[in-house]
Amino acid sequence: MKLIMLGAPGAGKGTQAEILSKKLGVPTISTGNILRAAVKAGTPIGLKAKSFMDAGALVPDDVIIGIIAEALHGPECESGYILDGVPRTIPQAEAMEQQGVEIDCALDIEVDDDTIVERMAGRRTCVACGASFHVVNNPPKQEGVCDMCGQALTIRKDDAPETVKARLETYHTQTEPLLAFYRERGKLRTVENQPTIEATTAEIYKALGI
């Protein structure tokens, strides 16, 4: 199965993508993780992306599409994949179609803006491996310490309330039109936000028929 995860920043796309990845046995291609790794390594593409990411703005299309095309040509994606964080604009979606990137379904997780701001204020990210936790919904076993690698957890700059609001404005203006784009192609599935991660997963399984 070839999926695209849609929804506002903080809607739970990354968490649900990880769950679906294990369920379906296909890799998750997370643009955010790829870009953050490039920023940390100080690569040319990382330096180019950093100023956009810090401001909560979108990384340019040429950077995004190049990263994705390279990832999807790998042998691990032969049986399917889950795209998390791309496409974010209609031009990106059109460019992906032109490059022969196929999808079976675009899955939209709907969460209202106030819930997103509150949720992201509690998010914590590992400084080493990038694993994501939440102080209420998905707390680490030990406060401030990553379950995966034992390194420190931190609040990312783009999880701060003022940055989250800027990211939401960008989402509504540039990314939300993708819902109509994929609806017209008969590939959109929408899931309403649920009180728990598990309940949201159950609704996703129903929407996908798995």
Side-chain angles (χ1 to χ4, degrees), residues 44-99:
I45 196 171
L47 295 174
K48 185 176 181 181
K50 187 176 187 302
S51 61
F52 293 93
M53 294 171 67
D54 285 348
L58 296 177
V59 177
D61 285 358
D62 60 332
V63 177
I64 296 292
I65 301 304
I67 288 174
I68 293 305
E70 183 176 80
L72 298 185
H73 282 109
E76 68 276 8
C77 291
E78 288 180 358
S79 62
Y81 44 79
I82 300 169
L83 290 176
D84 175 19
V86 69
R88 289 190 178 184
T89 63
I90 287 179
Q92 284 184 3
E94 291 173 339
M96 287 168 58
E97 286 187 343
Q98 290 166 6
Q99 292 194 22

Side-chain angles (χ1 to χ4, degrees), residues 56-137:
L58 296 177
V59 177
D61 285 358
D62 60 332
V63 177
I64 296 292
I65 301 304
I67 288 174
I68 293 305
E70 183 176 80
L72 298 185
H73 282 109
E76 68 276 8
C77 291
E78 288 180 358
S79 62
Y81 44 79
I82 300 169
L83 290 176
D84 175 19
V86 69
R88 289 190 178 184
T89 63
I90 287 179
Q92 284 184 3
E94 291 173 339
M96 287 168 58
E97 286 187 343
Q98 290 166 6
Q99 292 194 22
V101 176
E102 299 177 355
I103 69 156
D104 299 312
C105 174
L107 182 67
D108 172 44
I109 304 175
E110 283 288 319
V111 186
D112 67 79
D113 286 6
D114 289 343
T115 300
I116 295 250
V117 173
E118 182 180 349
R119 177 184 293 178
M120 293 183 77
R123 192 156 73 171
R124 302 292 183 269
T125 304
C126 179
V127 297
C129 71
S132 184
F133 300 87
H134 191 279
V135 294
V136 176
N137 298 328

Side-chain angles (χ1 to χ4, degrees), residues 176-197:
E176 205 164 40
L178 283 170
L179 303 184
F181 180 89
Y182 286 113
R183 186 180 294 114
E184 290 171 359
R185 286 156 174 73
K187 295 185 175 181
L188 182 68
R189 302 287 184 274
T190 299
V191 172
E192 296 293 332
N193 180 51
Q194 301 297 313
T196 66
I197 292 173

